[in-house]
Amino acid sequence: MAYETITVEKRGGIAIVTLNRPKALNALNDELTAELVAAFADIEVDEEIGCTVLTGSEKAFAAGADIKMMQSKSYMDVYKGDLFGGFDRIAAHPKPIIAAVAGYALGGGCELAMMCDFILAADTAKFGQPEIQLGVMPGIGGTQRLTRFIGKSKAMEMCLTGRMMDAAEAERSGLVSRVIPAGELLDEAIKAAEKIAGMSQTAVAMTKETINRSYETTLAEGIRFERRVFFAMFATEDQKEGMEAFVEKRSPRFRNR
Ligand code: CAA
């Protein structure tokens, strides 16, 4: 499908989705939101795709929700239109998404990165929730996800002052999994995505679901859930193949069953 505000490239077992509104630093407007939702719906049912890299430009992953679009909206406009509600579908996407972030990831951009399964940051990345400076607050999950990533004190400081965090601080704080020189970011993200896409996709989906469960439940319930899913994996062909391949000292040939 042809998109106006994003590009989608399918490369072997992975997809690369690039935010592409350079004149607005990839600010998230209705069109971009709808296109992202459509692209991920397409990837979800594409059996060849095992993992997606979501990225932006060198200057900005995304500088937030589109302020010019929101400026004149009323309460009823955003309530009836369920402004940015589409992002819940991306957060619920069952396959892994790696955010490859260079430059600004602010407001909705930071929130979009946090919706992904992990964030690889270029050394140029800057994260922030500056909405308070616009007289509002984060509205696509920032108050909740940022707090879970970096703890209350830092999240409170960032959301109340609007200050940005550089890549080194983001790594120290647990917001990103790794910092990579900017010129190597996309290659590294693609390498990680290809590695994931080469695993049993059944095991990948179950692992993602189970880690995400840790955000929604108590430790005891989470461990019980993990045990049940782990047991269920013994009903898959990929468990037999993976373990047999190890014993036979060869690479596994997973069939995602
Ligand atoms: N919405 C709409 N347009 C934006 C934008 C945004 N979030 N961020 C940048 N732009 C536009 C600018 O208006 C500018 O357009 P023009 O050339 O037409 O003037 C263009 O992108 C380039 O931006 P700048 O000239 O400002 O670039 P800079 O390098 O001087 O500054 C920046 C970069 C610090 C990121 C600055 O653009 C900025 O502060 N942007 C806004 C960041 C922000 O407040 N984000 C939060 C948005 S609210 C939100 O996200 C709510 C939510 O949680 C749902």
Side-chain angles (χ1 to χ4, degrees):
M1 194 190 294
Y3 298 111
E4 296 291 326
T5 61
I6 62 171
T7 63
V8 179
E9 185 193 340
K10 293 179 184 172
R11 202 190 280 190
I14 72 163
I16 303 164
V17 177
T18 306
L19 306 177
N20 188 31
R21 285 190 76 208
K23 287 190 181 142
L25 301 185
N26 294 332
L28 315 173
N29 62 4
D30 286 338
E31 189 183 12
L32 187 146
T33 307
E35 291 191 348
L36 266 186
V37 169
F40 278 104
D42 179 36
I43 290 167
E44 184 173 337
V45 296
D46 187 334
E47 291 197 354
E48 285 179 5
I49 303 298
C51 187
T52 300
V53 174
L54 177 61
T55 195
S57 70
E58 256 172 53
K59 178 158 184 190
F61 177 74
D66 190 317
I67 301 166
K68 293 166 190 166
M69 177 192 80
M70 293 184 294
Q71 185 184 4
S72 59
K73 284 192 188 289
S74 68
Y75 170 78
M76 284 318 293
D77 292 334
V78 298
Y79 177 74
K80 279 191 163 171
D82 189 24
L83 182 65
F84 301 126
F87 283 103
D88 294 343
R89 310 246 300 273
I90 295 167
H93 184 72
K95 298 178 186 179
I97 307 173
I98 302 171
V101 174
Y104 296 110
L106 302 178
C110 185
E111 293 169 301
L112 176 59
M114 289 191 291
M115 252 173 243
C116 298
D117 296 298
F118 58 93
I119 303 174
L120 294 177
D123 48 13
T124 58
K126 283 192 173 11
F127 298 88
Q129 297 290 164
E131 293 89 341
I132 195 87
Q133 294 165 0
L134 302 167
V136 291
M137 62 179 238
I140 322 179
T143 60
Q144 307 304 300
R145 289 198 179 94
L146 189 65
T147 308
R148 283 164 167 79
F149 274 108
I150 67 176
K152 176 184 163 185
S153 191
K154 266 186 187 289
M156 202 61 101
E157 188 203 347
M158 288 182 69
C159 291
L160 293 181
T161 68
R163 98 166 161 88
M164 292 183 214
M165 194 184 250
D166 66 17
E169 185 181 1
E171 186 181 27
R172 267 199 319 276
S173 313
L175 178 58
V176 309
S177 68
R178 269 193 293 147
V179 180
I180 293 159
E184 297 161 30
L185 176 71
L186 193 59
D187 285 347
E188 276 297 315
I190 288 171
K191 225 188 283 175
E194 284 173 343
K195 191 157 196 185
I196 292 167
M199 305 292 176
S200 157
Q201 293 312 297
T202 319
V204 165
M206 288 178 173
T207 304
K208 171 170 172 164
E209 186 187 356
T210 306
I211 291 180
N212 282 338
R213 185 56 78 97
S214 73
Y215 281 110
E216 312 290 344
T217 190
T218 62
L219 179 62
E221 277 308 314
I223 286 174
R224 216 189 310 275
F225 183 81
E226 180 196 82
R227 194 67 42 83
R228 288 284 155 246
V229 177
F230 177 67
F231 288 167
M233 285 175 167
F234 286 74
T236 68
E237 289 177 21
D238 286 346
Q239 173 266 333
K240 298 286 173 295
E241 169 61 13
M243 294 191 179
E244 207 171 283
F246 176 82
V247 172
E248 292 173 0
K249 299 188 188 301
R250 61 171 174 83
S251 300
R253 284 181 299 271
F254 293 123
R255 299 173 68 206
N256 306 326
R257 293 184 192 174

